[in-house]
Amino acid sequence: MYNGIGISTPRGSGSSGYVQTNKFHLRGSRMQRRETQDLEQVMADQSMHRAPNKDILDHGRKRQMVLELLTMREELEDLGMDEEEIQVRLDNKKSELEASAKEAEPAKNVHETHAVALRKEREMDTLRDAFGLKAVTEGDAFNRELQENKRAEERAARDKAQEEKREALIKQEKAALKAEKKKKKEAKKEKKLAKKQEKQRLKAEAEEVERKAHEEAQQKAREEQDANDE
């Protein structure tokens, strides 16, 4: 016996108890094993969530609508209405059902596979919108190339946002410097204007003093002239 294979003792077996391999067993190539297959195809074959078939759902809605119209026809016929009036009411009812069927969701008590899948899909969409998540495909987390591309895109978007932020800060600093320069220029201009006005005022006062002094001198000269004449 070797490694749990063979008889515990050759006594009474008519053999020596020597364990041999099976020469007729052919092993398959490792390249043909399932674990070497493409991961995307494996995930597609083993998909847990399948999208609902819209054609089957539409067929179920139409079937339910026809059944409801037939039930209504039987009730109207039992009431003894004319065929024309029955047809008019049926047409109106059909229009109402068609209008309401476009936005109607599958009933909660419907256990048909595609109706359940549609309800599940809408629930997942609502939950995804509530958490602000992006739509994902099953198996994307194991796709190295896709994840690397996503990281590269996120990195590029982050770098772009930082560059835009830096440019905005530079523009803001330039605008602040420009405003400060303009403010200093206006202050300097106002100071120059005030200095000019002060100079003009002093000049005007000096001229006024000189004029008064000249008038007083003339007045004094006339008085002296008058005094001499007398």
Side-chain angles (χ1 to χ4, degrees), residues 44-216:
D45 295 338
Q46 298 179 354
S47 179
M48 296 174 60
H49 306 289
R50 295 185 178 180
N53 192 321
K54 294 183 179 180
D55 295 334
I56 295 178
L57 293 173
D58 291 339
H59 176 74
R61 293 192 190 97
K62 291 178 182 179
R63 182 176 178 277
Q64 188 68 24
M65 183 174 62
V66 171
L67 180 61
E68 189 171 350
L69 291 175
L70 289 176
T71 304
M72 183 177 179
R73 172 179 280 276
E74 291 178 357
E75 293 176 355
L76 294 177
E77 288 178 352
D78 293 340
L79 294 175
M81 291 187 178
D82 297 336
E83 182 64 25
E84 294 182 358
E85 187 175 356
I86 291 175
Q87 191 62 37
V88 171
R89 294 197 177 188
L90 289 177
D91 293 339
N92 295 334
K93 185 65 175 179
K94 183 178 179 181
S95 300
E96 293 177 1
L97 293 175
E98 288 177 350
S100 61
K102 292 181 179 180
E103 299 181 357
E105 295 187 358
K108 296 292 184 181
N109 57 353
V110 177
H111 299 288
E112 197 271 329
T113 305
H114 296 277
V116 174
L118 180 60
R119 286 203 307 271
K120 187 65 177 178
E121 184 179 8
R122 292 185 178 179
E123 289 176 1
M124 295 301 293
D125 292 339
T126 304
L127 186 63
R128 189 182 301 112
D129 294 338
F131 285 100
L133 302 176
K134 298 180 181 179
V136 295
T137 306
E138 190 174 345
D140 286 350
F142 302 97
N143 192 332
R144 294 184 179 180
E145 184 178 357
L146 180 61
Q147 294 301 322
E148 187 64 27
N149 293 335
K150 284 186 177 180
R151 283 193 290 269
E153 291 177 358
E154 291 176 358
R155 195 181 304 112
R158 186 168 57 252
D159 294 342
K160 184 179 180 181
Q162 292 179 354
E163 184 66 22
E164 290 178 354
K165 185 177 181 180
R166 188 177 66 83
E167 291 179 356
L169 289 175
I170 292 174
K171 289 182 179 179
Q172 186 176 0
E173 290 177 358
K174 287 183 177 179
L177 290 174
K178 188 176 181 180
E180 185 68 20
K181 188 176 180 181
K182 185 178 180 180
K183 185 177 181 180
K184 289 181 179 179
K185 187 176 180 180
E186 290 178 353
K188 186 177 180 181
K189 187 177 180 180
E190 290 178 357
K191 186 177 180 181
K192 187 177 180 181
L193 180 62
K195 188 176 181 180
K196 184 178 179 180
Q197 290 177 352
E198 181 67 15
K199 188 176 180 180
Q200 291 177 353
R201 185 181 65 79
L202 292 175
K203 184 179 179 180
E205 289 180 355
E207 290 178 353
E208 182 68 19
V209 171
E210 185 179 357
R211 184 180 63 78
K212 288 182 178 180
H214 182 68
E215 289 180 354
E216 290 177 357

